[in-house]
Amino acid sequence: MWQALEPTASPDWRLDETGYDQARESDIESRFTVANGFIGVRAARSISRSPMWLSWTHTVSSGSWPRTYVAGLFDIPDIDPPVPVLMPAADWLRVQIHLNDNALQLRTGELILQRRTLDLRRGMMIKEWHHRDPAGILVRIRTMRMVSQADRAIGLQLLRLEVEPAGVDVRFEAFFDQALMGLDQETIEADLAVWSTQDTGKRLAMAGAAGMLVDDRPLTPAEHDHLQWRWRYRTSGDGAAEFYRFVAIGRGDSAHADPAGAAQAALIRASSVGWRAVVAAHEDAWMARWAASDVEIEGDAAATQALRFAVYHLIGSANPDDPHVSIGARGLTGDGYLGHVFWDTEIYALPFFTYTWPEAARALLMYRFHTLAGARAKAAQAGWQGAMYAWESADTGAETTPDFLNGADGKPVAVLCGAQEQHITADVAYAVWQYWQVTGDRAFLLDAGAEILLETARFWASRIVSEADGRGHIRGVIGPDEYHETIDDNAYTNWMARWTIQRALDLPALLGRHWPNLATRLAITDAELARWAAAAASVVTGDRAGPVMAQFEGFFALEDIDISQYDGRAVAMADVLGRERMQRSMVSKQADIVALLGLLPEAFNAADQRANFDYYAPKCAHDSSLSRVMHALVAARLGDSALALRYFRDSAAIDLTDSAGGSAGGVHIATLGGLWQVAVLGFAGLQVLADGIALTPRLPPEWPGMRFSTQWQGRHLKVRITGDTSEVILLRGAAMHVTLCGKPHWLTPGGRVSA
Ligand code: BGC
């Protein structure tokens, strides 16, 4: 067991936290989560924890928040406003140890060593704890937890316990903790329990198996029932006890589904091969993922660690085998935003998947296909056509943004995003198109992607209203900058709406003989297409006198506040200025026009990009974790590598050091996806062209080189950049074009090009 409990030695591949500081527990727990896109387990202590804990969401922000999440397990608890919540499963890792009948506790006796290591390479959390109890008994414990990347229904916990001196009576209890789950228990047997959700009738099954060796000999449990095991033994002095526990989880999406069968089958798969084989398969699966997705920065170990940390959590948040779930804003690492899905997935996280794990990207987009019904209903309800995606989405695609939240003073504040933050509908279409461009997955386009593009274009065409000035307007929205509500003609929204319609209009030619069927099924006539084209041609896109676009109508008349005078502030600008003054000012919460430059770089020449970036960047408060990565991407493309690197580092700190104080609710998946984009799409300048890829590196001097993997239309490529020189190797797939610094090259299978 010792080998499995030994973390990867290389500091580039691990995160370490030593000591114990209760005030930092909840953000460390998020950061050190293990997840596989189906199960997510926060890094809370499993041993020596009382049954009560404190939640970051409630009165105290410093407590531990042990949680195991199951992707897609949403229920609507009896709360106000009634929105779906990602429900926790049972905490399957609990252990209690008694030494001569005294409970081993962290808070009594002497803490000698505590170290948690997140092994990024092997996808594991390993913990070492040395403690002397008040009676002078010394314990050394090493634990490991993982959820399998090879077989997503399975989790494993290993524990090795050494106790000194000889002759100590040990009582070792392992159990599943159900406190505060909020699910109704249907059955519990020795190795299996089944629960159901109260409102939506979903079901959850968890099966468990555990075993123990003491001094290398199997020990039979003294008691075993209800997913609890109890062993007793007397220590021999220099020996050790070794414990393993499997969990196997099944989710049932309706009251008739049988999750117990799935959980039991998974448990049999794991138990029949044993934990060593489960670990080996998991490690192999992670190796394959790293081979496809690793990014390494030469000369900047901190940047490599930040990118690997980002890639680790991105991989842990996705599941290529489940097209009915997507990634919540905090993945499966915390309760923040209740597990809801935002544009974070399509705009910030998806490029990583599209370029390095297209199977996962496809599943994420299929979630949007499967939630089209909800989007159609939302559009119809508001009096528009086509499909309007929910700003916050859970399992059905219905709008799940709460109508109000309690403000700092405890009074309810209306949340208008659910009704007004409509750019999400263009963001989904954008992601579909980008996936199609990068992967060339025609089957996806035919089966699902085209329908998403057409229904979202149909929505936008109905949403653009032609007015007396002869132009099309989109009134009453919120753009990415949520500090300004009920605004008209947000440039980001209008540009992206027009872009969506234009891509939909490309489809008839693109789909050829498949077009008539699809058009008939969706009742799209030539007359309707002509109306879409007219709407796209008429829509206002950031009226401007010079190169600088207006973020929305009336923007240039707002108060221009120098936010640099508030540098170092501990609170959001909204709290500094107050809601009303902020809304009357130019201060933005996050990248808005800058996000538009990030998404459609080809739509603006370099001078216009520069002018808009220089105008808007100083007005941005970066009060969202999504903001700096977008600024970094644009700055990197503009060649301002010093500024881009500053934004990159500040963004990396958001979860690595909890610099913004928000990691307790989970890591910020959008920021992590953004970091990958800054490195690969920004500094390396990766771009997709009609017949291949292009690289235009603009590395900062602090990064003498970088390496990464990417895919393009079924080809697997390895890229190495040194200074201004790029080298590309075609590992798998047919010959293709690679354009390096503007010059096309022909790359043959197994070959390499460099320039
Ligand atoms: C940001 C949104 C984001 C959401 C979830 C909000 O604070 O303004 O852009 O989608 O958080 O991360």
Side-chain angles (χ1 to χ4, degrees), residues 10 42 269 332 359 394 415 424 546 549 558 591-592 647 723 728:
S10 162
R42 283 169 60 80
R269 287 199 298 279
L332 296 169
E359 299 81 2
V415 178
I424 176 77
M549 292 176 272
L558 299 176
D592 191 301
Y647 286 131
V728 185

Side-chain angles (χ1 to χ4, degrees), residues 677-714:
Q677 292 192 55
V678 176
V680 175
L681 308 182
F683 288 131
L686 175 65
Q687 238 182 306
V688 164
L689 306 179
D691 61 349
I693 61 157
L695 289 159
T696 318
R698 309 165 198 91
L699 301 194
E702 293 85 345
W703 291 13
M706 73 183 279
R707 301 165 199 257
F708 62 92
S709 301
T710 186
Q711 296 181 31
W712 179 78
Q713 305 209 347

Side-chain angles (χ1 to χ4, degrees), residues 428-505:
V428 173
Y430 178 88
V432 165
W433 189 260
Q434 193 183 44
Y435 171 81
W436 153 245
Q437 295 291 293
V438 176
T439 64
D441 182 349
R442 201 167 164 82
F444 166 78
L445 189 70
L446 289 173
D447 296 346
E451 189 164 336
I452 296 177
L453 284 163
L454 292 164
E455 289 291 33
T456 51
R458 183 176 248 168
F459 162 72
W460 287 118
S462 76
R463 185 67 181 82
I464 297 169
V465 176
S466 177
E467 297 186 2
D469 61 359
R471 309 188 64 188
H473 297 271
I474 301 179
R475 300 204 179 271
V477 298
I478 297 175
D481 160 25
E482 295 175 345
Y483 279 174
H484 296 94
E485 299 170 332
T486 325
I487 55 168
D488 298 330
D489 290 328
N490 167 240
Y492 177 97
T493 305
N494 291 21
W495 268 89
M496 295 294 287
R498 184 175 69 174
W499 183 93
T500 302
I501 297 174
Q502 288 166 341
R503 294 298 73 77
L505 292 172

Side-chain angles (χ1 to χ4, degrees), residues 12 79 103 120 163 178 211 236 249 294 328 360 362 428 462 473 515 522 529 536 586 594 683 723 736:
D12 291 354
I79 51 167
L120 303 169
V163 179
Q178 304 182 43
S236 60
I249 299 184
D294 189 23
R362 185 186 217 274
V428 173
S462 76
H473 297 271
W515 170 253
L522 300 178
L529 291 182
M586 291 182 172
V594 171
F683 288 131
M736 62 180 283

